Amino acid sequence: MTQTDSAPPPAPLDAHSRDAGLSGAGLFTILLIASMSSMDAFIVNVALPTIGADLGAGPAALELVVAGYATAYASLLVLGGRLGDAFGRRRLMVLGLIGFGFTSLLCGLAPAGGALVAARMLQGAAAALCLPQAMATIQATTSGAGRARAMGMFGAVVGLAFAFGQILGGFMVGADIAGTGWRSVFFINVPAVAIAAVLLLRTVPESRAPKSAPLDPLGAVLLGAAMVLLLVPLTEGRAAGWPAWSWICLGAFPFAAAVFLIVQRRKERAGAVPLLPPSLLALPGMRRGLPVMMLSMGGFGGFLFASAVAIQQGLGYGPVAAGFALVPYALAFFAGSAIGPRLAPRLGGRAVTWGVAVQIAGLVALVWTVASTWSGTAALAMAPALVAVGFGQGLQLPVLFRVVLAEVPPERAGVGSGVMATFQQVSLASGVAVFGAVFLHLAPEVGVQEAYGWTIATQGVTALVNAGLSLRVRA
């Protein structure tokens, strides 16, 4: 496939997806499922201190609670999309939901840190069966303006789920529902999964690729190994003091990724269907949109992490109060997500650039606020800047999600969705690791206030780079 800016011709869908479009109720169900798998990547963050005290788990084990989910999730997203293309996306979502509910129950019942880490890895694997199918179902059962609206809502809900994950986690830990404490952040998934499964079977049509290609087990192993080499040291290395193994893994990652891409390219050139067809990455939407999305998601994850830690450690807020301090950010993000897709038809890719500009203005205002006001009322003083940052990021992400997937052929919808979700998860983990390292390195030396200010300023620099990259985006 040549790297041109012309979109590939659409491929025929199977009978189910051709005859039954996605209804409003079906879209609601898809968004509910996507929000659950995305929210659980962040909902546990504010519960980690309570988990450590209850289970006697040290910092390294607590980091593995986060890293185990993120690594299994990111490693299997592309494979999950491929399985949905081959065996039916609704069927895979049902299986993923059942697994997600069962493993959430295992997490909530975990008697020790090791059991919780193992359950979180299984939970991440189950979530990887759900998210690619959600995006691919939208791609396969909608078209035109309907698809644009659906993808815009999908981007809004997924981003909002990340933000509200920390808020909901703080509330549930503080509420101590029925004496369950931190375990309630996992138990809440069980009834949510039951409701989502019933709605899924009643409202979402089945869809699959018209031609089923054999699976690529070697590609799955190579991609999984590359993700482990990257995500485990990024999420675990900081708590462990960046030992030698973490640097060895990070150094080995580029070579593992190169081997994976070489094997995939050779397989595609030979006429076979690899796990991740390199021709997908050559599509204009992927080529132009992925770098911008990755910087946006990295800044998003790092901002949420640094803000939650700074508000709790620097201002002495508890998990509930810290969660509510981020509500202005989350509400503004939702507002921006609703407006961004409506601006895209008139502004094109400049809708993303405007979003980055608003985000930068908010970051500048936040640095000034943190430098001038840092007391018990600092969270209230930061609210206007948080609104600007959230609104700017909300303008970007839904438009970027649609741009990245716009030219992916329907028969590869699952694979394309898995590719985008994998880059999304890698970016989130990288952002948390990079901005978290900046903040946690500076805090003991200059204090939380100044460390938070410098961390936000660093994110502002990356946003400036993203503003330049966004000029190449075509919406």
Side-chain angles (χ1 to χ4, degrees), residues 22 117 284 300 336 408 426 432 463:
L22 188 64
V117 170
F300 181 77
V408 175
V426 169
V432 171

Side-chain angles (χ1 to χ4, degrees), residues 18-330:
R18 182 173 59 246
D19 296 337
L22 188 64
S23 65
L27 179 59
F28 172 83
T29 303
I30 292 292
L31 298 179
L32 174 63
I33 294 170
S35 67
M36 284 193 296
S37 57
S38 300
M39 189 177 292
D40 261 66
F42 277 80
I43 196 172
V44 74
N45 285 357
V46 293
L48 290 177
T50 309
I51 293 173
D54 187 32
L55 299 183
L62 292 178
E63 288 289 334
L64 278 175
V65 171
V66 178
Y69 182 92
T71 303
Y73 189 32
S75 300
L76 297 173
L77 280 166
V78 177
L79 179 61
R82 180 71 173 270
L83 289 171
D85 285 347
F87 299 108
R89 294 162 189 135
R90 188 178 66 175
R91 179 181 300 175
L92 263 293
M93 269 195 284
V94 170
L95 293 176
L97 278 174
I98 294 172
F100 190 75
F102 179 69
T103 53
S104 295
L105 186 63
L106 291 180
C107 289
L109 296 174
L116 179 57
V117 170
R120 281 284 282 174
M121 293 178 68
L122 294 174
Q123 188 189 33
L129 290 180
C130 294
L131 189 65
Q133 319 314 331
M135 287 187 285
T137 297
I138 292 176
Q139 287 286 100
T141 59
T142 60
S143 61
R147 177 182 296 176
R149 287 193 297 271
M151 287 305 300
M153 294 178 67
F154 182 89
V157 167
V158 168
L160 196 63
F162 289 131
F164 265 111
Q166 294 193 167
I167 297 171
L168 180 62
F171 172 77
M172 297 196 71
V173 171
D176 192 21
I177 302 171
T180 55
W182 62 267
R183 298 178 188 273
S184 63
V185 305
F186 299 112
F187 288 149
I188 192 177
N189 288 332
V190 178
V193 160
I195 294 171
V198 172
L199 290 174
L200 178 65
L201 292 172
R202 294 175 66 91
T203 65
V204 177
E206 180 63 282
S207 65
R208 61 174 59 85
K211 293 182 179 180
S212 178
L215 296 180
D216 181 10
L218 176 60
V221 170
L222 290 175
L223 179 60
M227 291 296 98
V228 168
L229 289 172
L230 176 66
L231 293 177
V232 170
L234 282 180
T235 52
E236 180 74 6
R238 175 168 43 82
W242 296 108
W245 67 262
S246 63
W247 294 110
I248 292 173
C249 288
L250 288 174
F253 165 72
F255 298 99
V259 170
F260 170 72
L261 290 175
I262 290 171
V263 170
Q264 297 295 283
R265 185 174 289 112
R266 287 179 176 175
K267 189 165 187 175
E268 188 172 37
R269 286 175 177 172
V273 182
L275 179 72
L276 195 167
S279 57
L280 279 183
L281 299 178
L283 294 174
M286 286 266 184
R287 194 173 68 248
R288 294 169 176 166
L290 275 179
V292 181
M293 188 201 73
M294 291 179 69
L295 279 178
S296 294
M297 294 302 299
F300 181 77
F303 178 82
L304 285 176
F305 174 82
S307 297
V309 175
I311 290 172
Q312 290 185 76
Q313 292 186 356
L315 300 177
Y317 284 25
V320 177
F324 277 109
L326 291 173
V327 166
Y329 169 87

Side-chain angles (χ1 to χ4, degrees), residues 276 281 290 293-294 418-428:
L276 195 167
L281 299 178
L290 275 179
M293 188 201 73
M294 291 179 69
V419 170
M420 189 185 78
T422 300
F423 278 99
Q424 175 186 317
Q425 291 302 313
V426 169
S427 302
L428 281 170

